[in-house]
Amino acid sequence: MPSKETILTKIRANRPNLWPLPDVPIFETLATDKKKLFIQILERGGSKVHCIDDSTQIHQVITTHFPEDKRMVTALPFLEGIEGISTLHPDFYEGTEVAIIEGLIGVAENGALWVTEKELGNVRVLPFIAQHLVMVISEKNIVGTMHEAYKILGLPTTAGFGVFIAGPSKTADIEQSLVIGAQGARSLLVILTP
Amino acid sequence: MMPHAQKAAIFNKDEARTDWHDASLWMVRKKRDFAVSEIPEWEFLREFASDIKMHTLSKLDDYLEAFEKAAIQNGAIVHWAADAKEHNDIVLSILNKHQAKKMVKSKSMLTEECHLNEFLELHEIEVIDSDLGERIIQMLNEPPSHIVLPAIHLKKEEIGELFHRELHTEKGATDPQYLTEAARHHLREKFHTAQVALTGVNFGIAETGEVVVCTNEGNADMGVHLTPVQIHSMGIEKLIPRRSDLAVFTRLLARSATGQPVTVFTSHHRNPKPAGEMHIILVDNGRTEQLGKPDFRSSLKCIRCGACMNTCPIYRRSGGHSYETTIPGPIGSILTPGIDLKKHGQLPFASTLCGSCTDVCPVKIDIHTQLYKWRQIVSEAGLPEAGNKTMMSIMGNGLASPSFFHRLGNIGRKLLRLFPGKERFLSFTVWTKDRDLPKAPVESFREWYAKQAKDAQ
Ligand code: SF4
């Protein structure tokens, strides 16, 4: 008998009686100011947050934040003078110092930002391989909790990969000392647009 | 195999180190408490998580089939493995098909359980564990001592020494930042040259066929997205029915594990990258058997957060290696006796039954009750590990007879006064090995009460 059948047969013989599936309510956050909480949690996790009143300021914020000449790659279409991801040859993904991408949903309770491969210009490795990551998100897209986030996300339609990113990569594997910048991005800058 | 108590005794020889280990884990437990306090509906979430998992287990066959169907539709290749050997053979066949000789792996307790690394190395495949802690213990040729913090038992000096030897870091360097940076460079090169990446799975979504992987370092994603072939090894109990259930589990997992509000990366893999290949291996390896044990099946709800280890007074002061199981600590002690009662039957006794594990478990597994139930089974099976049998029967008889108990109390108080503290006159029991006995009262409660009654007259 192939293993699939063996496993399924064993489950049918051994499984418990039907246990009801609960309906989980959409728990909301008690925080009155979601934006404030979002910023606070992000900063606690080692990210930087910059609020702007006009998306034309994005470029400015990035250059102030990275004053040295760094190799930048953007998946945001409207940033002039910065190399677009779609034209980049895969051999040059490594060596990307700053990657700029858009976050679709921000979650206040844990500072996580949702992106799919679409926002990554179909380069799934982009937010992991870049030395530094910049995520741009509108404050209108901040929700309170993961329940609200998944409600908006629904079921995946086209994207084959999606990820919540909640800060720079980190590890505490050596004596529980926190080190920011493990294998992925060493820093995360979140730019909040209106 | 050396009994847990003996291994623990060896661990305890270095008192300063034992204290350090204890304190490190207690710190993680405290972080967890803080993170939990931020969620007012925490107890409801635990209840929901438990119910969702129990529901899934009660229809696991249906959900597995739904998952497989959805995953195939997404373009993934789904394999079924009845045991560890079949799992390892499947991985090897995928590697062979692509003539791959190098595989990067991110943390997966399942592949530890299957001893995949040893198997692949026999077939001349280079396996690189890419999680920092896992890489450290792989270089040391040791198993992980904790399911979330695999190198928690090591001091930075030891890691510095190891990295000096293996990665040519400066001699005597112990700064975690510096050592992590060295590992980063070492591993980046591996990600670019490996042909296959393998990850564990935190959650499989039946309705979408997605696998969800929760990590902090970014290593799992580096591997998966840079190599043409991705493999996800998944225990069949990792399924959850709906994508929205992830809200419950992502809120619980990282808070329970490390006290973070969520892991840095929560990756949802649905289909292979263009021109890539995505394999999902569904592994049984004893899980269906555990499902058939009504008293113990709820252990399959486990989401491997490690909270029960961090809180366990025995684990903290004996170290993960003392359990000699892939999954140590309280949860390991209820998962493994079912696999081999003779070998692991002593583990349910490595507990004070204080119940702290049950209190922190995010999916409400009644761990300490199951430990107690395993003890009954081990005792009935007549295994010698059933503990202090002589002592227990003396105690049992003594406690059953009021006059004997009374006399025993008198003798005990006298002896304690004669040989206080660390004299350890009770050398026939291990109870006093590391404890000071309390000061003996002059009289018993019974004597005191009798006097009061007399005075009142
Ligand atoms: S038994 Fe509970 S507390 Fe222990 S690792 Fe599993 S989920 Fe976490």
Side-chain angles (χ1 to χ4, degrees), chain B residues 147 256 299 301-309 327 330-331 334 357 360-365 367:
Chain B
I147 60 175
S256 299
S299 59
K301 293 187 292 185
C302 177
I303 56 171
R304 304 285 191 265
C305 72
C308 55
M309 285 155 221
I327 309 228
I331 178 68
I334 59 173
C357 46
V360 296
C361 178
V363 288
K364 290 195 126 177
I365 302 174
I367 308 171

Side-chain angles (χ1 to χ4, degrees), chain B residues 125-163:
Chain B
I125 308 280
E126 187 192 353
V127 185
I128 300 111
D129 276 313
S130 60
D131 166 90
L132 175 60
E134 287 270 316
R135 186 70 184 140
I136 291 168
I137 55 162
Q138 187 188 25
M139 284 176 176
L140 281 172
N141 212 358
E142 280 185 11
S145 71
H146 187 288
I147 60 175
V148 175
L149 320 161
I152 186 82
H153 59 292
L154 293 171
K155 295 259 194 181
K156 57 176 186 250
E157 289 77 18
E158 291 159 325
I159 298 167
E161 185 68 27
L162 172 75
F163 278 20

Side-chain angles (χ1 to χ4, degrees), chain B residues 302-319:
Chain B
C302 177
I303 56 171
R304 304 285 191 265
C305 72
C308 55
M309 285 155 221
N310 306 339
T311 201
C312 177
I314 302 290
Y315 174 89
R316 279 188 277 120
R317 298 195 70 83
S318 61

